[in-house]
Amino acid sequence: MKKIVVLTGAGMSVESGLKTFRDADGLWENYPVRRVATHEAWEEDPEFVNAFYNMLRHKEGVEPCEGHRLVAALEKEYEVTVVTQNVDNLHERGGSTHVVHLHGELMKACSSRDPYDERYIEQLGGDRLDILPGEKAGDGSLLRPYIVFFNESVPKIEEAAEEMKTADIVIVIGTSLVVYPAAGLLYYAPPTAPIYLIDPKDVNIGRSDRVQHIQKGASEGMRILTEILMPSK
Protein backbone atom coordinates (compact mmCIF):
# COMPACT_ATOMS: atom_id res chain seq x y z
CA MET A 1 0.00 0.00 0.00
CA LYS A 2 1.43 3.37 -1.01
CA LYS A 3 1.92 6.03 1.62
CA ILE A 4 0.60 9.59 1.47
CA VAL A 5 1.80 12.32 3.79
CA VAL A 6 -0.54 15.32 3.97
CA LEU A 7 0.88 18.59 5.28
CA THR A 8 -1.83 21.06 6.28
CA GLY A 9 -1.96 24.63 7.54
CA ALA A 10 -4.55 27.17 8.62
CA GLY A 11 -6.16 27.32 5.18
CA MET A 12 -7.33 23.74 5.69
CA SER A 13 -9.79 24.85 8.36
CA VAL A 14 -11.01 28.11 6.84
CA GLU A 15 -14.09 26.40 5.36
CA SER A 16 -14.94 25.17 8.85
CA GLY A 17 -15.22 28.76 10.02
CA LEU A 18 -11.84 29.17 11.67
CA LYS A 19 -9.84 32.29 10.87
CA THR A 20 -6.27 32.00 9.75
CA PHE A 21 -3.73 33.88 11.84
CA ARG A 22 -2.05 35.92 9.14
CA ASP A 23 -4.78 36.95 6.72
CA ALA A 24 -6.59 40.27 7.01
CA ASP A 25 -8.95 40.15 9.98
CA GLY A 26 -7.10 37.05 11.16
CA LEU A 27 -6.63 36.17 14.80
CA TRP A 28 -3.36 38.07 15.11
CA GLU A 29 -5.16 41.27 14.05
CA ASN A 30 -7.30 41.13 17.20
CA TYR A 31 -4.88 39.39 19.57
CA PRO A 32 -1.22 40.34 19.09
CA VAL A 33 0.99 37.27 19.04
CA ARG A 34 3.19 38.71 21.78
CA ARG A 35 0.20 38.73 24.14
CA VAL A 36 -1.10 35.21 23.59
CA ALA A 37 1.46 32.97 21.92
CA THR A 38 4.87 33.49 23.47
CA HIS A 39 6.51 32.18 26.60
CA GLU A 40 7.05 35.76 27.73
CA ALA A 41 3.30 36.40 27.48
CA TRP A 42 2.64 33.34 29.62
CA GLU A 43 5.14 34.45 32.23
CA GLU A 44 3.68 37.97 32.28
CA ASP A 45 -0.03 37.12 32.40
CA PRO A 46 -0.95 33.42 32.40
CA GLU A 47 -4.62 34.15 33.09
CA PHE A 48 -4.88 36.30 29.94
CA VAL A 49 -3.21 33.63 27.83
CA ASN A 50 -5.44 30.88 29.21
CA ALA A 51 -8.52 33.05 28.65
CA PHE A 52 -7.62 33.43 24.95
CA TYR A 53 -7.39 29.68 24.40
CA ASN A 54 -10.48 29.08 26.54
CA MET A 55 -12.31 31.40 24.16
CA LEU A 56 -11.12 29.42 21.14
CA ARG A 57 -12.38 26.17 22.67
CA HIS A 58 -15.86 27.65 23.03
CA LYS A 59 -16.19 28.37 19.30
CA GLU A 60 -19.57 26.93 18.32
CA GLY A 61 -20.60 25.28 15.08
CA VAL A 62 -17.07 24.41 13.98
CA GLU A 63 -17.26 21.13 12.07
CA PRO A 64 -14.89 19.32 9.71
CA CYS A 65 -15.26 20.51 6.14
CA GLU A 66 -15.53 18.25 3.11
CA GLY A 67 -11.79 18.63 2.63
CA HIS A 68 -11.08 17.10 6.04
CA ARG A 69 -13.38 14.18 5.24
CA LEU A 70 -11.84 13.61 1.82
CA VAL A 71 -8.35 13.52 3.33
CA ALA A 72 -9.62 10.84 5.73
CA ALA A 73 -11.22 8.91 2.86
CA LEU A 74 -7.79 8.43 1.26
CA GLU A 75 -7.20 5.82 3.98
CA LYS A 76 -9.44 3.43 2.01
CA GLU A 77 -6.65 2.94 -0.53
CA TYR A 78 -3.51 4.42 1.02
CA GLU A 79 -1.55 4.54 4.24
CA VAL A 80 -2.08 8.18 5.25
CA THR A 81 -0.29 10.35 7.78
CA VAL A 82 -1.52 13.89 8.34
CA VAL A 83 1.07 16.37 9.58
CA THR A 84 -0.74 19.52 10.59
CA GLN A 85 0.31 22.95 11.80
CA ASN A 86 -3.24 23.43 13.09
CA VAL A 87 -4.11 23.02 16.75
CA ASP A 88 -7.76 22.14 16.11
CA ASN A 89 -8.97 18.53 16.09
CA LEU A 90 -10.88 18.74 12.81
CA HIS A 91 -8.73 16.12 11.05
CA GLU A 92 -9.51 13.60 13.77
CA ARG A 93 -13.18 14.52 13.77
CA GLY A 94 -13.17 14.20 9.98
CA GLY A 95 -12.01 10.59 10.27
CA SER A 96 -8.21 10.69 9.96
CA THR A 97 -6.60 8.10 12.22
CA HIS A 98 -2.92 9.14 12.17
CA VAL A 99 -2.40 12.85 12.84
CA VAL A 100 0.84 14.52 13.94
CA HIS A 101 0.22 17.96 15.49
CA LEU A 102 3.32 20.10 15.07
CA HIS A 103 2.12 23.11 17.06
CA GLY A 104 0.18 21.41 19.84
CA GLU A 105 -3.48 20.69 20.43
CA LEU A 106 -6.08 23.18 21.56
CA MET A 107 -8.14 20.53 23.33
CA LYS A 108 -5.32 19.60 25.70
CA ALA A 109 -3.69 21.23 28.72
CA CYS A 110 -0.22 20.60 30.08
CA SER A 111 2.33 21.44 32.72
CA SER A 112 3.92 24.87 32.47
CA ARG A 113 7.13 23.46 33.97
CA ASP A 114 7.53 20.79 31.28
CA PRO A 115 4.84 21.14 28.60
CA TYR A 116 5.76 17.92 26.82
CA ASP A 117 5.86 15.57 29.82
CA GLU A 118 3.09 13.18 28.78
CA ARG A 119 2.32 12.35 32.41
CA TYR A 120 0.81 15.79 32.86
CA ILE A 121 -0.95 16.31 29.53
CA GLU A 122 -4.71 16.42 30.08
CA GLN A 123 -7.53 16.06 27.57
CA LEU A 124 -10.15 18.81 27.57
CA GLY A 125 -13.64 18.69 26.14
CA GLY A 126 -17.27 18.12 26.98
CA ASP A 127 -18.12 20.02 30.14
CA ARG A 128 -14.49 20.91 30.73
CA LEU A 129 -13.33 23.40 28.15
CA ASP A 130 -11.64 25.97 30.37
CA ILE A 131 -8.36 26.07 32.23
CA LEU A 132 -9.35 27.90 35.39
CA PRO A 133 -7.24 30.63 37.07
CA GLY A 134 -4.72 28.99 39.38
CA GLU A 135 -5.50 25.45 38.18
CA LYS A 136 -2.47 23.20 38.47
CA ALA A 137 -1.03 20.23 36.64
CA GLY A 138 -0.06 17.00 38.33
CA ASP A 139 3.48 18.26 38.93
CA GLY A 140 2.24 21.30 40.87
CA SER A 141 2.90 23.88 38.15
CA LEU A 142 0.19 25.99 36.57
CA LEU A 143 -1.79 24.35 33.80
CA ARG A 144 -1.22 25.97 30.41
CA PRO A 145 -2.51 25.30 26.92
CA TYR A 146 -0.79 22.42 25.13
CA ILE A 147 0.36 24.84 22.43
CA VAL A 148 3.84 25.34 21.01
CA PHE A 149 4.43 29.03 21.60
CA PHE A 150 6.53 31.09 19.19
CA ASN A 151 10.27 30.50 19.61
CA GLU A 152 9.69 27.27 21.53
CA SER A 153 11.06 24.01 20.13
CA VAL A 154 8.72 21.89 18.01
CA PRO A 155 8.87 18.47 19.68
CA LYS A 156 7.04 16.57 16.92
CA ILE A 157 9.21 17.84 14.05
CA GLU A 158 11.51 14.81 14.02
CA GLU A 159 8.55 12.43 13.92
CA ALA A 160 7.08 14.44 11.04
CA ALA A 161 10.38 14.37 9.15
CA GLU A 162 10.59 10.60 9.50
CA GLU A 163 7.06 10.26 8.13
CA MET A 164 7.93 12.51 5.19
CA LYS A 165 11.00 10.43 4.34
CA THR A 166 8.81 7.42 3.60
CA ALA A 167 6.13 9.19 1.53
CA ASP A 168 5.22 7.95 -1.93
CA ILE A 169 2.97 10.96 -2.47
CA VAL A 170 2.90 14.34 -0.68
CA ILE A 171 -0.14 16.61 -0.45
CA VAL A 172 0.15 20.18 0.85
CA ILE A 173 -3.07 21.99 1.75
CA GLY A 174 -3.65 25.52 2.97
CA THR A 175 -0.21 26.51 4.19
CA SER A 176 1.93 29.44 3.06
CA LEU A 177 5.10 27.42 3.73
CA VAL A 178 6.74 30.37 5.46
CA VAL A 179 6.74 29.04 9.04
CA TYR A 180 9.77 26.96 9.93
CA PRO A 181 10.56 24.25 10.79
CA ALA A 182 7.31 22.96 9.22
CA ALA A 183 8.08 24.60 5.86
CA GLY A 184 11.32 22.60 5.66
CA LEU A 185 9.57 19.24 5.83
CA LEU A 186 9.22 19.01 2.05
CA TYR A 187 12.99 18.68 1.77
CA TYR A 188 12.70 15.29 3.48
CA ALA A 189 10.34 13.90 0.84
CA PRO A 190 11.90 11.34 -1.52
CA PRO A 191 12.81 12.88 -4.90
CA THR A 192 10.48 10.40 -6.60
CA ALA A 193 7.41 11.52 -4.63
CA PRO A 194 5.04 13.83 -6.54
CA ILE A 195 3.80 16.85 -4.60
CA TYR A 196 0.23 18.09 -4.94
CA LEU A 197 -0.31 21.62 -3.65
CA ILE A 198 -3.89 22.70 -2.90
CA ASP A 199 -4.20 26.42 -2.26
CA PRO A 200 -6.17 29.18 -3.99
CA LYS A 201 -3.20 31.52 -3.65
CA ASP A 202 0.24 31.43 -5.19
CA VAL A 203 2.66 29.67 -2.86
CA ASN A 204 6.42 29.89 -3.13
CA ILE A 205 7.40 26.24 -3.27
CA GLY A 206 10.65 24.74 -4.51
CA ARG A 207 11.12 21.82 -6.88
CA SER A 208 8.43 23.20 -9.17
CA ASP A 209 8.92 20.38 -11.67
CA ARG A 210 7.54 17.97 -9.05
CA VAL A 211 4.65 20.15 -7.93
CA GLN A 212 1.14 20.12 -9.33
CA HIS A 213 -0.69 23.19 -8.04
CA ILE A 214 -4.44 22.82 -7.74
CA GLN A 215 -5.41 26.44 -7.23
CA LYS A 216 -8.60 25.81 -5.25
CA GLY A 217 -9.77 25.80 -1.65
CA ALA A 218 -9.39 22.71 0.51
CA SER A 219 -12.67 20.98 -0.31
CA GLU A 220 -12.80 21.70 -4.04
CA GLY A 221 -9.12 20.92 -4.35
CA MET A 222 -9.51 17.61 -2.55
CA ARG A 223 -12.44 16.69 -4.81
CA ILE A 224 -10.19 17.20 -7.83
CA LEU A 225 -7.30 15.33 -6.25
CA THR A 226 -9.51 12.44 -5.18
CA GLU A 227 -10.39 11.92 -8.85
CA ILE A 228 -6.69 11.70 -9.61
CA LEU A 229 -5.67 9.43 -6.74
CA MET A 230 -8.83 7.32 -6.46
CA PRO A 231 -10.50 7.57 -9.90
CA SER A 232 -12.91 4.73 -9.20
CA LYS A 233 -14.38 6.51 -6.14
Side-chain angles (χ1 to χ4, degrees), residues 9 22 85 174-179 183 199 203-204:
R22 288 175 174 78
Q85 298 171 79
T175 173
S176 59
L177 294 174
V178 298
V179 177
D199 200 295
V203 177
N204 185 17

Side-chain angles (χ1 to χ4, degrees), residues 145-215:
Y146 182 59
I147 300 293
V148 178
F149 292 148
F150 278 83
N151 297 322
E152 289 185 333
S153 62
V154 179
K156 298 282 187 178
I157 195 66
E158 291 184 7
E159 178 183 351
E162 290 302 315
E163 295 285 356
M164 192 66 76
K165 287 177 183 178
T166 58
D168 296 297
I169 299 168
V170 176
I171 304 172
V172 181
I173 308 174
T175 173
S176 59
L177 294 174
V178 298
V179 177
Y180 281 82
L185 286 172
L186 291 184
Y187 293 106
Y188 291 92
T192 54
I195 299 173
Y196 295 94
L197 170 65
I198 297 175
D199 200 295
K201 300 178 181 179
D202 290 326
V203 177
N204 185 17
I205 185 170
R207 303 181 183 185
S208 58
D209 56 323
R210 296 172 52 195
V211 178
Q212 181 172 332
H213 188 181
I214 301 173
Q215 208 157 356

Side-chain angles (χ1 to χ4, degrees), residues 72-214:
L74 293 173
E75 295 186 14
K76 297 174 182 176
E77 295 190 14
Y78 296 90
E79 176 188 350
V80 181
T81 295
V82 176
V83 177
T84 185
Q85 298 171 79
N86 300 334
V87 298
D88 60 59
N89 61 357
L90 293 172
H91 277 298
E92 289 90 340
R93 291 170 59 199
S96 291
T97 60
H98 187 195
V99 183
V100 178
H101 284 271
L102 291 177
H103 296 157
E105 299 180 58
L106 180 63
M107 298 305 295
K108 291 182 178 179
C110 63
S111 157
S112 54
R113 180 176 300 136
D114 187 353
Y116 311 117
D117 189 328
E118 295 187 1
R119 294 176 297 174
Y120 307 119
I121 295 174
E122 303 180 22
Q123 185 71 47
L124 303 174
D127 294 332
R128 189 192 175 208
L129 292 175
D130 294 341
I131 299 175
L132 301 177
E135 192 171 2
K136 293 184 177 180
D139 63 354
S141 69
L142 286 175
L143 270 180
R144 59 162 265 189
Y146 182 59
I147 300 293
V148 178
F149 292 148
F150 278 83
N151 297 322
E152 289 185 333
S153 62
V154 179
K156 298 282 187 178
I157 195 66
E158 291 184 7
E159 178 183 351
E162 290 302 315
E163 295 285 356
M164 192 66 76
K165 287 177 183 178
T166 58
D168 296 297
I169 299 168
V170 176
I171 304 172
V172 181
I173 308 174
T175 173
S176 59
L177 294 174
V178 298
V179 177
Y180 281 82
L185 286 172
L186 291 184
Y187 293 106
Y188 291 92
T192 54
I195 299 173
Y196 295 94
L197 170 65
I198 297 175
D199 200 295
K201 300 178 181 179
D202 290 326
V203 177
N204 185 17
I205 185 170
R207 303 181 183 185
S208 58
D209 56 323
R210 296 172 52 195
V211 178
Q212 181 172 332
H213 188 181
I214 301 173

Side-chain angles (χ1 to χ4, degrees), residues 35-56:
R35 291 292 314 279
V36 296
T38 65
H39 184 73
E40 291 74 19
W42 170 261
E43 291 287 333
E44 180 180 325
D45 194 345
E47 290 188 12
F48 183 87
V49 173
N50 273 335
F52 171 75
Y53 293 97
N54 289 345
M55 176 271 293
L56 293 183

